[in-house]
Amino acid sequence: MTGREIIWPVLAASGLLEVRIAETETEIEAAQKLRYRVFYEEMSAIPSPQMREQRRDFDRYDEICDHLLVVDHGARDANGEATVVATYRLLRGEVAAKHGGFYTSGEYDIAPMLRAHPRGTRFLELGRSCVLASYRAKSITMQLLWRGLMVYVGQYKTEVMFGCASLPGTNVEVLRLPLSYLYHFHRVPADVPVRALPNLYVEMNRVPKEAIDAKEALRSLPPLIKGYVRAGAYIGEGAVVDKQFDTTDVMIYFPVSRIDPRWRKHFSRRRD
């Protein structure tokens, strides 16, 4: 599989939890099964017949991506392996260029964003992030994902991270506060145009800026998106309703140079 030239050590650890890159088909399948459990069984995504039969979430991008895993050595799966309790899917720009582009381009016009950067800029697409329900209350689980991601970013000298992130549900009026907050307070700069595809574009500016309580709006964000914006990420223009996953997606644009130094220091620890 593309992108697995490196034999990765454990990227970070805390107690019986560790984060690393999947290196076998079995580990990737464990990540896909976790995604199925979270997206299709716990949430309201609609699986294809093949996914339902195999109880895995998969698409063509899995073959070319790296899969960041948090595993619990204190719990074993049906194969006797440490249980995968969280995952992230990572696609580097040079790999995407050889295999038909990025997943995000199915929802957003990212070509202007790519052109806005000098040739040779190192991009990394983030996606398919999920955490097993029983581990979401343990903040260390998500922290380990971020720590592993920072090691990966450093290894490949990544300069820009981006990808789609989701708010639950497809009723944009219900989501008007978080969408408007992201639009008014974290919108991408004008010189880096990132916009939802015209046929999918949903207006995010649904509440005037002066009517927004920023603290309340921040609390209304899903933890992943809240983490992104707190760390320094921008949000692209326009949301996209994803009926298959029963979510409303926004575009994350995150230059590595924008990472808050306090955030970077916090997630640079390799072991607790």
Side-chain angles (χ1 to χ4, degrees), residues 56-67:
R56 292 188 294 123
D57 169 59
F58 56 86
D59 61 24
R60 71 178 184 86
Y61 292 93
D62 283 323
E63 290 292 321
I64 62 173
C65 289
D66 280 329
H67 300 262

Side-chain angles (χ1 to χ4, degrees), residues 70-267:
V70 175
V71 300
D72 184 355
H73 285 282
R76 297 288 160 174
D77 62 19
N79 297 318
E81 302 292 334
T83 300
V84 174
V85 300
T87 187
Y88 234 134
R89 193 168 75 175
L90 311 175
L91 178 57
R92 290 180 283 117
E94 61 269 33
V95 177
K98 296 175 182 177
H99 295 87
F102 293 103
Y103 176 90
T104 304
S105 62
E107 294 189 356
Y108 286 83
D109 181 5
I110 61 174
M113 177 196 77
L114 300 177
R115 289 196 300 267
H117 292 273
R119 182 182 295 274
T121 296
R122 297 181 178 91
F123 292 94
L124 177 65
E125 182 183 57
L126 313 176
R128 286 298 201 274
S129 174
C130 66
V131 178
L132 191 64
S134 56
Y135 286 77
R136 283 177 215 150
K138 304 173 184 179
S139 60
I140 189 60
T141 310
M142 199 65 208
Q143 287 178 18
L144 281 173
L145 271 183
W146 283 104
R147 290 184 200 175
L149 178 60
M150 289 299 95
V151 175
Y152 188 96
V153 162
Q155 175 66 47
Y156 286 109
K157 298 179 173 59
T158 298
E159 295 166 276
V160 178
M161 299 182 286
F162 70 94
C164 294
S166 301
L167 295 96
T170 57
N171 186 330
V172 293
E173 274 307 299
V174 171
L175 298 171
R176 64 186 181 278
L177 176 61
L179 289 175
S180 299
Y181 168 76
L182 294 172
Y183 174 85
H184 290 298
F185 291 86
H186 299 284
R187 197 176 356 156
V188 290
D191 62 341
V192 185
V194 177
R195 188 178 177 88
L197 296 174
N199 61 315
L200 300 176
Y201 185 96
V202 172
E203 179 61 60
M204 296 176 66
N205 182 10
R206 314 184 84 83
V207 178
K209 185 175 182 178
E210 59 273 15
I212 294 175
D213 180 326
K215 290 184 178 180
E216 178 188 354
L218 188 62
R219 285 194 296 269
S220 73
L221 295 176
L224 183 61
I225 297 178
K226 186 186 300 182
Y228 282 138
V229 297
R230 278 180 165 170
Y234 295 110
I235 303 296
E237 289 266 6
V240 173
V241 170
D242 187 334
K243 293 183 178 178
Q244 181 194 357
F245 279 86
D246 192 34
T247 59
T248 298
D249 297 343
V250 295
M251 165 80 179
I252 304 296
Y253 169 71
F254 199 174
V256 172
S257 62
R258 282 268 303 173
I259 297 177
D260 187 301
R262 295 169 300 175
W263 190 93
R264 187 191 291 270
K265 181 178 180 180
H266 178 69
F267 289 106

Side-chain angles (χ1 to χ4, degrees), residues 25-44:
E25 293 294 333
T26 299
E27 289 176 334
I28 294 171
E29 288 182 3
Q32 294 171 331
K33 288 176 181 177
L34 172 61
R35 284 159 30 189
Y36 187 91
R37 184 170 175 180
V38 173
F39 299 146
Y40 298 91
E41 296 182 340
E42 180 184 340
M43 300 178 184
S44 303

